[in-house]
């Protein structure tokens, strides 16, 4: 195991390469979200 700094860098790299879909409240996939409420990874997100 490495130091905590090295672990954080690896975790950030893995998260950035993973593809996550963004859905609107009707369940449709959104490519470029504008203002509103969306579902990302099963959680509601508000874009202001």
């Amino acid at each position: 195991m490495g130091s905590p700094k090295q672990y954080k860098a690896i975790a950030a790299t893995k998260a950035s390469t993973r593809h996550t879909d963004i859905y609107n409240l009707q369940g449709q996939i959104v490519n470029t979200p504008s203002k509103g409420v969306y579902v990302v990874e099963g959680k509601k997100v508000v874009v202001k």
Side-chain angles (χ1 to χ4, degrees):
M1 295 181 94
S3 67
K5 274 188 176 179
Q6 292 173 344
Y7 179 74
K8 287 180 183 178
I10 292 169
T13 303
K14 286 184 180 179
S16 64
T17 59
R18 190 173 60 182
H19 178 71
T20 57
D21 291 326
I22 302 171
Y23 298 91
N24 62 16
L25 295 180
Q26 288 75 33
Q28 301 166 326
I29 295 178
V30 178
N31 292 325
T32 54
S34 56
K35 292 182 180 181
V37 179
Y38 298 94
V39 178
V40 181
E41 294 183 0
K43 297 179 182 178
K44 293 180 202 162
V45 177
V46 178
V47 177
K48 293 184 177 184

